PDB file of all heavy atoms in Angstrom:
ATOM      1  N   LEU A  45     -28.827  -2.563  -3.676  1.00 97.00           N
ATOM      2  CA  LEU A  45     -29.751  -3.690  -3.814  1.00 97.00           C
ATOM      3  C   LEU A  45     -31.062  -3.393  -3.196  1.00 97.00           C
ATOM      4  O   LEU A  45     -32.141  -3.677  -3.735  1.00 97.00           O
ATOM      5  CB  LEU A  45     -29.145  -4.940  -3.192  1.00 97.00           C
ATOM      6  CG  LEU A  45     -28.297  -5.796  -4.085  1.00 97.00           C
ATOM      7  CD1 LEU A  45     -27.667  -6.941  -3.271  1.00 97.00           C
ATOM      8  CD2 LEU A  45     -29.094  -6.407  -5.263  1.00 97.00           C
ATOM      9  N   TRP A  56     -30.935 -11.041   3.354  1.00 98.00           N
ATOM     10  CA  TRP A  56     -30.004 -11.857   4.093  1.00 98.00           C
ATOM     11  C   TRP A  56     -28.684 -11.818   3.285  1.00 98.00           C
ATOM     12  O   TRP A  56     -28.602 -12.383   2.192  1.00 98.00           O
ATOM     13  CB  TRP A  56     -30.502 -13.312   4.206  1.00 98.00           C
ATOM     14  CG  TRP A  56     -31.809 -13.411   4.981  1.00 98.00           C
ATOM     15  CD1 TRP A  56     -32.526 -12.434   5.545  1.00 98.00           C
ATOM     16  CD2 TRP A  56     -32.555 -14.618   5.200  1.00 98.00           C
ATOM     17  NE1 TRP A  56     -33.662 -12.924   6.143  1.00 98.00           N
ATOM     18  CE2 TRP A  56     -33.695 -14.265   5.931  1.00 98.00           C
ATOM     19  CE3 TRP A  56     -32.347 -15.970   4.861  1.00 98.00           C
ATOM     20  CZ2 TRP A  56     -34.620 -15.220   6.351  1.00 98.00           C
ATOM     21  CZ3 TRP A  56     -33.267 -16.905   5.278  1.00 98.00           C
ATOM     22  CH2 TRP A  56     -34.429 -16.540   6.011  1.00 98.00           C
ATOM     23  N   VAL A  58     -25.284 -12.878   1.990  1.00 98.00           N
ATOM     24  CA  VAL A  58     -24.574 -14.143   1.893  1.00 98.00           C
ATOM     25  C   VAL A  58     -23.060 -13.891   2.036  1.00 98.00           C
ATOM     26  O   VAL A  58     -22.456 -13.202   1.218  1.00 98.00           O
ATOM     27  CB  VAL A  58     -24.904 -14.845   0.571  1.00 98.00           C
ATOM     28  CG1 VAL A  58     -24.101 -16.184   0.460  1.00 98.00           C
ATOM     29  CG2 VAL A  58     -26.393 -15.177   0.497  1.00 98.00           C
ATOM     30  N   ILE A  59     -22.514 -14.417   3.133  1.00 98.00           N
ATOM     31  CA  ILE A  59     -21.103 -14.167   3.444  1.00 98.00           C
ATOM     32  C   ILE A  59     -20.383 -15.493   3.612  1.00 98.00           C
ATOM     33  O   ILE A  59     -19.426 -15.591   4.369  1.00 98.00           O
ATOM     34  CB  ILE A  59     -20.903 -13.232   4.637  1.00 98.00           C
ATOM     35  CG1 ILE A  59     -21.559 -13.804   5.923  1.00 98.00           C
ATOM     36  CG2 ILE A  59     -21.540 -11.860   4.353  1.00 98.00           C
ATOM     37  CD1 ILE A  59     -21.083 -13.070   7.180  1.00 98.00           C
ATOM     38  N   LYS A  60     -20.858 -16.506   2.909  1.00 98.00           N
ATOM     39  CA  LYS A  60     -20.160 -17.826   2.939  1.00 98.00           C
ATOM     40  C   LYS A  60     -18.830 -17.693   2.239  1.00 98.00           C
ATOM     41  O   LYS A  60     -18.521 -16.675   1.635  1.00 98.00           O
ATOM     42  CB  LYS A  60     -21.041 -18.905   2.268  1.00 98.00           C
ATOM     43  CG  LYS A  60     -21.287 -18.635   0.807  1.00 98.00           C
ATOM     44  CD  LYS A  60     -22.323 -19.606   0.240  1.00 98.00           C
ATOM     45  CE  LYS A  60     -22.648 -19.273  -1.211  1.00 98.00           C
ATOM     46  NZ  LYS A  60     -22.650 -20.394  -2.074  1.00 98.00           N
ATOM     47  N   TYR A  64     -16.897 -14.572   0.221  1.00 98.00           N
ATOM     48  CA  TYR A  64     -16.366 -14.621  -1.156  1.00 98.00           C
ATOM     49  C   TYR A  64     -14.947 -14.043  -1.208  1.00 98.00           C
ATOM     50  O   TYR A  64     -14.553 -13.287  -2.104  1.00 98.00           O
ATOM     51  CB  TYR A  64     -17.275 -13.801  -2.121  1.00 98.00           C
ATOM     52  CG  TYR A  64     -18.688 -14.378  -2.321  1.00 98.00           C
ATOM     53  CD1 TYR A  64     -19.405 -14.942  -1.281  1.00 98.00           C
ATOM     54  CD2 TYR A  64     -19.292 -14.293  -3.545  1.00 98.00           C
ATOM     55  CE1 TYR A  64     -20.703 -15.447  -1.472  1.00 98.00           C
ATOM     56  CE2 TYR A  64     -20.607 -14.787  -3.748  1.00 98.00           C
ATOM     57  CZ  TYR A  64     -21.302 -15.347  -2.688  1.00 98.00           C
ATOM     58  OH  TYR A  64     -22.541 -15.847  -2.874  1.00 98.00           O
ATOM     59  N   ALA A  83     -26.005 -15.091   5.919  1.00 98.00           N
ATOM     60  CA  ALA A  83     -26.131 -16.516   5.502  1.00 98.00           C
ATOM     61  C   ALA A  83     -24.774 -17.049   5.177  1.00 98.00           C
ATOM     62  O   ALA A  83     -23.952 -16.427   4.501  1.00 98.00           O
ATOM     63  CB  ALA A  83     -27.048 -16.627   4.277  1.00 98.00           C
ATOM     64  N   VAL A  84     -24.505 -18.279   5.673  1.00 98.00           N
ATOM     65  CA  VAL A  84     -23.231 -18.973   5.406  1.00 98.00           C
ATOM     66  C   VAL A  84     -23.578 -20.345   4.813  1.00 98.00           C
ATOM     67  O   VAL A  84     -24.762 -20.756   4.791  1.00 98.00           O
ATOM     68  CB  VAL A  84     -22.422 -19.155   6.692  1.00 98.00           C
ATOM     69  CG1 VAL A  84     -21.957 -17.814   7.214  1.00 98.00           C
ATOM     70  CG2 VAL A  84     -23.203 -19.911   7.751  1.00 98.00           C
ATOM     71  N   SER A  85     -22.564 -21.034   4.340  1.00 98.00           N
ATOM     72  CA  SER A  85     -22.823 -22.394   3.825  1.00 98.00           C
ATOM     73  C   SER A  85     -22.627 -23.427   4.928  1.00 98.00           C
ATOM     74  O   SER A  85     -23.398 -24.390   5.044  1.00 98.00           O
ATOM     75  CB  SER A  85     -21.902 -22.672   2.649  1.00 98.00           C
ATOM     76  OG  SER A  85     -22.218 -23.914   2.070  1.00 98.00           O
ATOM     77  N   LEU A 105     -26.925 -22.406   5.120  1.00 98.00           N
ATOM     78  CA  LEU A 105     -27.564 -22.848   3.877  1.00 98.00           C
ATOM     79  C   LEU A 105     -27.139 -24.231   3.423  1.00 98.00           C
ATOM     80  O   LEU A 105     -27.888 -24.955   2.774  1.00 98.00           O
ATOM     81  CB  LEU A 105     -27.238 -21.852   2.743  1.00 98.00           C
ATOM     82  CG  LEU A 105     -27.660 -20.404   2.926  1.00 98.00           C
ATOM     83  CD1 LEU A 105     -27.084 -19.548   1.788  1.00 98.00           C
ATOM     84  CD2 LEU A 105     -29.192 -20.276   2.932  1.00 98.00           C
ATOM     85  N   GLY A 106     -25.885 -24.616   3.776  1.00 96.00           N
ATOM     86  CA  GLY A 106     -25.298 -25.814   3.167  1.00 96.00           C
ATOM     87  C   GLY A 106     -25.884 -27.123   3.702  1.00 96.00           C
ATOM     88  O   GLY A 106     -25.747 -28.150   3.078  1.00 96.00           O
ATOM     89  N   LYS A 150     -35.554 -26.978   2.766  1.00 98.00           N
ATOM     90  CA  LYS A 150     -35.147 -26.674   1.395  1.00 98.00           C
ATOM     91  C   LYS A 150     -35.830 -27.638   0.430  1.00 98.00           C
ATOM     92  O   LYS A 150     -35.869 -28.825   0.648  1.00 98.00           O
ATOM     93  CB  LYS A 150     -33.623 -26.816   1.282  1.00 98.00           C
ATOM     94  CG  LYS A 150     -33.133 -26.468  -0.107  1.00 98.00           C
ATOM     95  CD  LYS A 150     -31.775 -25.856  -0.016  1.00 98.00           C
ATOM     96  CE  LYS A 150     -31.404 -25.180  -1.311  1.00 98.00           C
ATOM     97  NZ  LYS A 150     -30.180 -24.418  -1.154  1.00 98.00           N
ATOM     98  N   MET A 155     -32.517 -27.842  -9.497  1.00 97.00           N
ATOM     99  CA  MET A 155     -31.044 -27.813  -9.530  1.00 97.00           C
ATOM    100  C   MET A 155     -30.447 -29.170  -9.264  1.00 97.00           C
ATOM    101  O   MET A 155     -29.266 -29.420  -9.590  1.00 97.00           O
ATOM    102  CB  MET A 155     -30.529 -26.790  -8.542  1.00 97.00           C
ATOM    103  CG  MET A 155     -29.048 -26.587  -8.590  1.00 97.00           C
ATOM    104  SD  MET A 155     -28.509 -24.959  -8.176  1.00 97.00           S
ATOM    105  CE  MET A 155     -26.751 -25.174  -8.141  1.00 97.00           C
ATOM    106  N   ARG A 157     -29.435 -30.444  -6.523  1.00 97.00           N
ATOM    107  CA  ARG A 157     -28.229 -30.306  -5.691  1.00 97.00           C
ATOM    108  C   ARG A 157     -28.636 -30.667  -4.251  1.00 97.00           C
ATOM    109  O   ARG A 157     -28.229 -31.669  -3.727  1.00 97.00           O
ATOM    110  CB  ARG A 157     -27.617 -28.928  -5.788  1.00 97.00           C
ATOM    111  CG  ARG A 157     -26.335 -28.758  -5.002  1.00 97.00           C
ATOM    112  CD  ARG A 157     -25.648 -27.439  -5.253  1.00 97.00           C
ATOM    113  NE  ARG A 157     -26.294 -26.325  -4.569  1.00 97.00           N
ATOM    114  CZ  ARG A 157     -25.810 -25.085  -4.508  1.00 97.00           C
ATOM    115  NH1 ARG A 157     -24.650 -24.819  -5.130  1.00 97.00           N
ATOM    116  NH2 ARG A 157     -26.453 -24.140  -3.868  1.00 97.00           N
ATOM    117  N   LEU A 158     -29.422 -29.825  -3.654  1.00 96.00           N
ATOM    118  CA  LEU A 158     -29.903 -30.052  -2.294  1.00 96.00           C
ATOM    119  C   LEU A 158     -31.383 -29.826  -2.277  1.00 96.00           C
ATOM    120  O   LEU A 158     -31.936 -29.026  -3.052  1.00 96.00           O
ATOM    121  CB  LEU A 158     -29.280 -29.045  -1.289  1.00 96.00           C
ATOM    122  CG  LEU A 158     -27.969 -29.327  -0.644  1.00 96.00           C
ATOM    123  CD1 LEU A 158     -27.749 -28.281   0.468  1.00 96.00           C
ATOM    124  CD2 LEU A 158     -27.855 -30.737  -0.069  1.00 96.00           C
ATOM    125  N   CYS A 184     -37.482 -22.844   1.455  1.00 98.00           N
ATOM    126  CA  CYS A 184     -36.574 -22.151   0.513  1.00 98.00           C
ATOM    127  C   CYS A 184     -36.215 -23.079  -0.637  1.00 98.00           C
ATOM    128  O   CYS A 184     -36.401 -24.278  -0.602  1.00 98.00           O
ATOM    129  CB  CYS A 184     -35.319 -21.687   1.208  1.00 98.00           C
ATOM    130  SG  CYS A 184     -34.365 -22.971   2.029  1.00 98.00           S
ATOM    131  N   THR A 185     -35.707 -22.442  -1.685  1.00 98.00           N
ATOM    132  CA  THR A 185     -35.159 -23.190  -2.824  1.00 98.00           C
ATOM    133  C   THR A 185     -34.015 -22.328  -3.373  1.00 98.00           C
ATOM    134  O   THR A 185     -33.739 -21.227  -2.911  1.00 98.00           O
ATOM    135  CB  THR A 185     -36.218 -23.473  -3.864  1.00 98.00           C
ATOM    136  OG1 THR A 185     -35.721 -24.391  -4.793  1.00 98.00           O
ATOM    137  CG2 THR A 185     -36.678 -22.207  -4.644  1.00 98.00           C
ATOM    138  N   HIS A 186     -33.355 -22.881  -4.405  1.00 98.00           N
ATOM    139  CA  HIS A 186     -32.236 -22.155  -5.012  1.00 98.00           C
ATOM    140  C   HIS A 186     -32.335 -22.335  -6.533  1.00 98.00           C
ATOM    141  O   HIS A 186     -32.619 -23.465  -6.988  1.00 98.00           O
ATOM    142  CB  HIS A 186     -30.927 -22.739  -4.517  1.00 98.00           C
ATOM    143  CG  HIS A 186     -29.701 -21.980  -4.944  1.00 98.00           C
ATOM    144  ND1 HIS A 186     -29.571 -20.608  -4.766  1.00 98.00           N
ATOM    145  CD2 HIS A 186     -28.557 -22.383  -5.514  1.00 98.00           C
ATOM    146  CE1 HIS A 186     -28.380 -20.252  -5.239  1.00 98.00           C
ATOM    147  NE2 HIS A 186     -27.759 -21.298  -5.688  1.00 98.00           N
ATOM    148  N   PHE A 187     -32.129 -21.277  -7.276  1.00 98.00           N
ATOM    149  CA  PHE A 187     -32.284 -21.342  -8.723  1.00 98.00           C
ATOM    150  C   PHE A 187     -30.973 -21.653  -9.410  1.00 98.00           C
ATOM    151  O   PHE A 187     -29.941 -21.080  -9.090  1.00 98.00           O
ATOM    152  CB  PHE A 187     -32.828 -20.002  -9.262  1.00 98.00           C
ATOM    153  CG  PHE A 187     -34.187 -19.691  -8.704  1.00 98.00           C
ATOM    154  CD1 PHE A 187     -34.362 -18.593  -7.894  1.00 98.00           C
ATOM    155  CD2 PHE A 187     -35.285 -20.469  -8.993  1.00 98.00           C
ATOM    156  CE1 PHE A 187     -35.600 -18.265  -7.353  1.00 98.00           C
ATOM    157  CE2 PHE A 187     -36.543 -20.157  -8.504  1.00 98.00           C
ATOM    158  CZ  PHE A 187     -36.684 -19.059  -7.670  1.00 98.00           C
ATOM    159  N   ASP A 191     -29.195 -16.453 -13.812  1.00 97.00           N
ATOM    160  CA  ASP A 191     -28.330 -15.503 -14.521  1.00 97.00           C
ATOM    161  C   ASP A 191     -28.206 -15.784 -16.023  1.00 97.00           C
ATOM    162  O   ASP A 191     -27.404 -15.159 -16.729  1.00 97.00           O
ATOM    163  CB  ASP A 191     -26.948 -15.520 -13.878  1.00 97.00           C
ATOM    164  CG  ASP A 191     -26.261 -16.861 -13.932  1.00 97.00           C
ATOM    165  OD1 ASP A 191     -26.964 -17.882 -14.112  1.00 97.00           O
ATOM    166  OD2 ASP A 191     -25.032 -16.918 -13.870  1.00 97.00           O
ATOM    167  N   HIS A 223     -37.891 -18.009   1.117  1.00 98.00           N
ATOM    168  CA  HIS A 223     -36.793 -17.357   0.402  1.00 98.00           C
ATOM    169  C   HIS A 223     -36.258 -18.220  -0.725  1.00 98.00           C
ATOM    170  O   HIS A 223     -36.232 -19.449  -0.553  1.00 98.00           O
ATOM    171  CB  HIS A 223     -35.673 -16.918   1.351  1.00 98.00           C
ATOM    172  CG  HIS A 223     -35.243 -18.008   2.300  1.00 98.00           C
ATOM    173  ND1 HIS A 223     -34.025 -18.635   2.200  1.00 98.00           N
ATOM    174  CD2 HIS A 223     -35.859 -18.589   3.388  1.00 98.00           C
ATOM    175  CE1 HIS A 223     -33.920 -19.524   3.203  1.00 98.00           C
ATOM    176  NE2 HIS A 223     -34.989 -19.523   3.881  1.00 98.00           N
ATOM    177  N   ALA A 224     -35.816 -17.569  -1.762  1.00 98.00           N
ATOM    178  CA  ALA A 224     -35.352 -18.322  -2.937  1.00 98.00           C
ATOM    179  C   ALA A 224     -34.252 -17.575  -3.730  1.00 98.00           C
ATOM    180  O   ALA A 224     -33.418 -18.217  -4.351  1.00 98.00           O
ATOM    181  CB  ALA A 224     -36.511 -18.595  -3.878  1.00 98.00           C
ATOM    182  N   ALA A 225     -34.284 -16.274  -3.735  1.00 98.00           N
ATOM    183  CA  ALA A 225     -33.530 -15.502  -4.727  1.00 98.00           C
ATOM    184  C   ALA A 225     -32.098 -15.223  -4.358  1.00 98.00           C
ATOM    185  O   ALA A 225     -31.812 -14.654  -3.327  1.00 98.00           O
ATOM    186  CB  ALA A 225     -34.264 -14.194  -4.994  1.00 98.00           C
ATOM    187  N   ASN A 226     -31.178 -15.587  -5.250  1.00 98.00           N
ATOM    188  CA  ASN A 226     -29.790 -15.143  -5.179  1.00 98.00           C
ATOM    189  C   ASN A 226     -29.751 -13.769  -5.864  1.00 98.00           C
ATOM    190  O   ASN A 226     -30.800 -13.225  -6.242  1.00 98.00           O
ATOM    191  CB  ASN A 226     -28.844 -16.169  -5.833  1.00 98.00           C
ATOM    192  CG  ASN A 226     -29.280 -16.505  -7.263  1.00 98.00           C
ATOM    193  OD1 ASN A 226     -30.228 -15.948  -7.811  1.00 98.00           O
ATOM    194  ND2 ASN A 226     -28.590 -17.453  -7.880  1.00 98.00           N
ATOM    195  N   THR A 227     -28.552 -13.247  -6.110  1.00 98.00           N
ATOM    196  CA  THR A 227     -28.470 -11.944  -6.744  1.00 98.00           C
ATOM    197  C   THR A 227     -29.228 -11.912  -8.072  1.00 98.00           C
ATOM    198  O   THR A 227     -30.065 -11.005  -8.304  1.00 98.00           O
ATOM    199  CB  THR A 227     -26.991 -11.560  -7.062  1.00 98.00           C
ATOM    200  OG1 THR A 227     -26.253 -11.468  -5.871  1.00 98.00           O
ATOM    201  CG2 THR A 227     -26.869 -10.302  -7.845  1.00 98.00           C
ATOM    202  N   ALA A 228     -28.950 -12.873  -8.938  1.00 98.00           N
ATOM    203  CA  ALA A 228     -29.536 -12.842 -10.281  1.00 98.00           C
ATOM    204  C   ALA A 228     -31.042 -12.891 -10.272  1.00 98.00           C
ATOM    205  O   ALA A 228     -31.759 -12.114 -10.926  1.00 98.00           O
ATOM    206  CB  ALA A 228     -28.985 -14.008 -11.136  1.00 98.00           C
ATOM    207  N   ALA A 229     -31.606 -13.798  -9.426  1.00 98.00           N
ATOM    208  CA  ALA A 229     -33.056 -13.874  -9.310  1.00 98.00           C
ATOM    209  C   ALA A 229     -33.647 -12.639  -8.727  1.00 98.00           C
ATOM    210  O   ALA A 229     -34.657 -12.112  -9.223  1.00 98.00           O
ATOM    211  CB  ALA A 229     -33.425 -15.136  -8.508  1.00 98.00           C
ATOM    212  N   ALA A 230     -33.042 -12.134  -7.676  1.00 98.00           N
ATOM    213  CA  ALA A 230     -33.586 -10.932  -6.998  1.00 98.00           C
ATOM    214  C   ALA A 230     -33.649  -9.759  -7.967  1.00 98.00           C
ATOM    215  O   ALA A 230     -34.588  -8.954  -7.960  1.00 98.00           O
ATOM    216  CB  ALA A 230     -32.731 -10.588  -5.783  1.00 98.00           C
ATOM    217  N   ILE A 241     -34.517 -12.175   0.405  1.00 98.00           N
ATOM    218  CA  ILE A 241     -33.650 -12.517  -0.703  1.00 98.00           C
ATOM    219  C   ILE A 241     -32.249 -12.803  -0.129  1.00 98.00           C
ATOM    220  O   ILE A 241     -31.926 -12.364   0.975  1.00 98.00           O
ATOM    221  CB  ILE A 241     -33.551 -11.390  -1.780  1.00 98.00           C
ATOM    222  CG1 ILE A 241     -32.992 -10.080  -1.172  1.00 98.00           C
ATOM    223  CG2 ILE A 241     -34.908 -11.171  -2.398  1.00 98.00           C
ATOM    224  CD1 ILE A 241     -32.640  -9.029  -2.229  1.00 98.00           C
ATOM    225  N   ARG A 242     -31.459 -13.617  -0.883  1.00 98.00           N
ATOM    226  CA  ARG A 242     -30.152 -14.051  -0.374  1.00 98.00           C
ATOM    227  C   ARG A 242     -29.061 -13.637  -1.383  1.00 98.00           C
ATOM    228  O   ARG A 242     -28.469 -14.465  -2.037  1.00 98.00           O
ATOM    229  CB  ARG A 242     -30.109 -15.566  -0.201  1.00 98.00           C
ATOM    230  CG  ARG A 242     -31.201 -16.196   0.646  1.00 98.00           C
ATOM    231  CD  ARG A 242     -30.935 -17.662   0.849  1.00 98.00           C
ATOM    232  NE  ARG A 242     -30.749 -18.393  -0.412  1.00 98.00           N
ATOM    233  CZ  ARG A 242     -31.668 -19.124  -1.043  1.00 98.00           C
ATOM    234  NH1 ARG A 242     -32.866 -19.291  -0.520  1.00 98.00           N
ATOM    235  NH2 ARG A 242     -31.384 -19.716  -2.192  1.00 98.00           N
ATOM    236  N   PRO A 243     -28.753 -12.356  -1.486  1.00 98.00           N
ATOM    237  CA  PRO A 243     -27.710 -11.971  -2.441  1.00 98.00           C
ATOM    238  C   PRO A 243     -26.325 -12.125  -1.837  1.00 98.00           C
ATOM    239  O   PRO A 243     -26.089 -11.915  -0.659  1.00 98.00           O
ATOM    240  CB  PRO A 243     -27.996 -10.497  -2.647  1.00 98.00           C
ATOM    241  CG  PRO A 243     -28.589 -10.054  -1.354  1.00 98.00           C
ATOM    242  CD  PRO A 243     -29.328 -11.222  -0.804  1.00 98.00           C
ATOM    243  N   GLY A 244     -25.403 -12.593  -2.717  1.00 98.00           N
ATOM    244  CA  GLY A 244     -24.015 -12.630  -2.354  1.00 98.00           C
ATOM    245  C   GLY A 244     -23.203 -11.729  -3.262  1.00 98.00           C
ATOM    246  O   GLY A 244     -22.835 -10.588  -2.932  1.00 98.00           O
ATOM    247  N   LEU A 245     -22.996 -12.203  -4.469  1.00 98.00           N
ATOM    248  CA  LEU A 245     -22.050 -11.555  -5.378  1.00 98.00           C
ATOM    249  C   LEU A 245     -22.219 -10.043  -5.505  1.00 98.00           C
ATOM    250  O   LEU A 245     -21.215  -9.295  -5.505  1.00 98.00           O
ATOM    251  CB  LEU A 245     -22.118 -12.227  -6.749  1.00 98.00           C
ATOM    252  CG  LEU A 245     -20.914 -11.989  -7.658  1.00 98.00           C
ATOM    253  CD1 LEU A 245     -19.616 -12.543  -7.026  1.00 98.00           C
ATOM    254  CD2 LEU A 245     -21.110 -12.635  -9.013  1.00 98.00           C
ATOM    255  N   ALA A 246     -23.453  -9.584  -5.647  1.00 98.00           N
ATOM    256  CA  ALA A 246     -23.685  -8.149  -5.860  1.00 98.00           C
ATOM    257  C   ALA A 246     -23.164  -7.308  -4.706  1.00 98.00           C
ATOM    258  O   ALA A 246     -22.726  -6.161  -4.876  1.00 98.00           O
ATOM    259  CB  ALA A 246     -25.131  -7.840  -6.123  1.00 98.00           C
ATOM    260  N   LEU A 247     -23.172  -7.877  -3.486  1.00 98.00           N
ATOM    261  CA  LEU A 247     -22.671  -7.114  -2.344  1.00 98.00           C
ATOM    262  C   LEU A 247     -21.219  -6.782  -2.541  1.00 98.00           C
ATOM    263  O   LEU A 247     -20.723  -5.759  -2.022  1.00 98.00           O
ATOM    264  CB  LEU A 247     -22.828  -7.925  -1.048  1.00 98.00           C
ATOM    265  CG  LEU A 247     -24.255  -8.262  -0.651  1.00 98.00           C
ATOM    266  CD1 LEU A 247     -24.195  -9.248   0.531  1.00 98.00           C
ATOM    267  CD2 LEU A 247     -25.001  -7.000  -0.245  1.00 98.00           C
ATOM    268  N   TYR A 248     -20.514  -7.619  -3.263  1.00 98.00           N
ATOM    269  CA  TYR A 248     -19.084  -7.425  -3.432  1.00 98.00           C
ATOM    270  C   TYR A 248     -18.771  -6.601  -4.695  1.00 98.00           C
ATOM    271  O   TYR A 248     -17.613  -6.425  -5.075  1.00 98.00           O
ATOM    272  CB  TYR A 248     -18.343  -8.812  -3.455  1.00 98.00           C
ATOM    273  CG  TYR A 248     -18.793  -9.621  -2.253  1.00 98.00           C
ATOM    274  CD1 TYR A 248     -19.692 -10.680  -2.368  1.00 98.00           C
ATOM    275  CD2 TYR A 248     -18.379  -9.240  -0.947  1.00 98.00           C
ATOM    276  CE1 TYR A 248     -20.142 -11.378  -1.234  1.00 98.00           C
ATOM    277  CE2 TYR A 248     -18.840  -9.908   0.157  1.00 98.00           C
ATOM    278  CZ  TYR A 248     -19.722 -10.965   0.023  1.00 98.00           C
ATOM    279  OH  TYR A 248     -20.203 -11.626   1.128  1.00 98.00           O
ATOM    280  N   THR A 250     -19.956  -7.057  -7.921  1.00 96.00           N
ATOM    281  CA  THR A 250     -19.891  -7.612  -9.272  1.00 96.00           C
ATOM    282  C   THR A 250     -21.172  -8.394  -9.514  1.00 96.00           C
ATOM    283  O   THR A 250     -21.963  -8.601  -8.620  1.00 96.00           O
ATOM    284  CB  THR A 250     -18.575  -8.439  -9.398  1.00 96.00           C
ATOM    285  OG1 THR A 250     -18.497  -9.014 -10.734  1.00 96.00           O
ATOM    286  CG2 THR A 250     -18.500  -9.595  -8.407  1.00 96.00           C
ATOM    287  N   VAL A 251     -21.362  -8.827 -10.759  1.00 95.00           N
ATOM    288  CA  VAL A 251     -22.588  -9.491 -11.121  1.00 95.00           C
ATOM    289  C   VAL A 251     -22.288 -10.870 -11.686  1.00 95.00           C
ATOM    290  O   VAL A 251     -21.210 -11.104 -12.214  1.00 95.00           O
ATOM    291  CB  VAL A 251     -23.426  -8.691 -12.148  1.00 95.00           C
ATOM    292  CG1 VAL A 251     -24.097  -7.491 -11.485  1.00 95.00           C
ATOM    293  CG2 VAL A 251     -22.607  -8.217 -13.338  1.00 95.00           C
ATOM    294  N   PRO A 252     -23.239 -11.788 -11.564  1.00 95.00           N
ATOM    295  CA  PRO A 252     -22.956 -13.172 -11.965  1.00 95.00           C
ATOM    296  C   PRO A 252     -22.806 -13.379 -13.465  1.00 95.00           C
ATOM    297  O   PRO A 252     -22.146 -14.307 -13.908  1.00 95.00           O
ATOM    298  CB  PRO A 252     -24.143 -13.991 -11.446  1.00 95.00           C
ATOM    299  CG  PRO A 252     -25.107 -13.042 -10.838  1.00 95.00           C
ATOM    300  CD  PRO A 252     -24.524 -11.659 -10.892  1.00 95.00           C
ATOM    301  N   TYR A 376     -16.975 -15.595  -9.155  1.00 98.00           N
ATOM    302  CA  TYR A 376     -17.042 -16.259  -7.849  1.00 98.00           C
ATOM    303  C   TYR A 376     -15.716 -16.992  -7.568  1.00 98.00           C
ATOM    304  O   TYR A 376     -15.198 -16.907  -6.448  1.00 98.00           O
ATOM    305  CB  TYR A 376     -18.152 -17.312  -7.851  1.00 98.00           C
ATOM    306  CG  TYR A 376     -19.554 -16.848  -8.083  1.00 98.00           C
ATOM    307  CD1 TYR A 376     -20.080 -16.750  -9.364  1.00 98.00           C
ATOM    308  CD2 TYR A 376     -20.390 -16.564  -7.010  1.00 98.00           C
ATOM    309  CE1 TYR A 376     -21.374 -16.372  -9.582  1.00 98.00           C
ATOM    310  CE2 TYR A 376     -21.705 -16.186  -7.221  1.00 98.00           C
ATOM    311  CZ  TYR A 376     -22.214 -16.060  -8.489  1.00 98.00           C
ATOM    312  OH  TYR A 376     -23.487 -15.676  -8.709  1.00 98.00           O
TER     313      TYR A 376
HETATM  314  C1  LIG B 501     -28.162 -21.327  -1.533  1.00 68.16           C
HETATM  315  C2  LIG B 501     -27.543 -20.050  -1.970  1.00 68.16           C
HETATM  316  N1  LIG B 501     -28.221 -18.890  -1.830  1.00 68.16           N
HETATM  317  C3  LIG B 501     -27.685 -17.714  -2.238  1.00 68.16           C
HETATM  318  C4  LIG B 501     -26.435 -17.661  -2.849  1.00 68.16           C
HETATM  319  C5  LIG B 501     -25.900 -16.309  -3.300  1.00 68.16           C
HETATM  320  O1  LIG B 501     -25.741 -16.323  -4.693  1.00 68.16           O
HETATM  321  P1  LIG B 501     -25.135 -15.005  -5.429  1.00 68.16           P
HETATM  322  O2  LIG B 501     -23.766 -14.853  -4.946  1.00 68.16           O
HETATM  323  O3  LIG B 501     -25.198 -15.419  -6.867  1.00 68.16           O
HETATM  324  O4  LIG B 501     -26.020 -13.881  -5.109  1.00 68.16           O
HETATM  325  C6  LIG B 501     -25.741 -18.825  -3.048  1.00 68.16           C
HETATM  326  C7  LIG B 501     -24.417 -18.795  -3.713  1.00 68.16           C
HETATM  327  O5  LIG B 501     -24.037 -19.550  -4.490  1.00 68.16           O
HETATM  328  C8  LIG B 501     -26.294 -20.058  -2.623  1.00 68.16           C
HETATM  329  O6  LIG B 501     -25.631 -21.204  -2.764  1.00 68.16           O
END
Side-chain angles (χ1 to χ4, degrees):
L45 269 175
W56 298 358
V58 177
I59 59 166
K60 63 188 176 135
Y64 295 38
V84 293
S85 186
L105 300 172
K150 182 146 195 173
M155 184 147 174
R157 183 174 75 172
L158 272 191
C184 60
T185 193
H186 187 52
F187 298 114
D191 62 338
H223 49 108
N226 55 5
T227 296
I241 61 169
R242 306 186 307 259
L245 198 61
L247 296 171
Y248 309 105
T250 181
V251 285
Y376 299 88

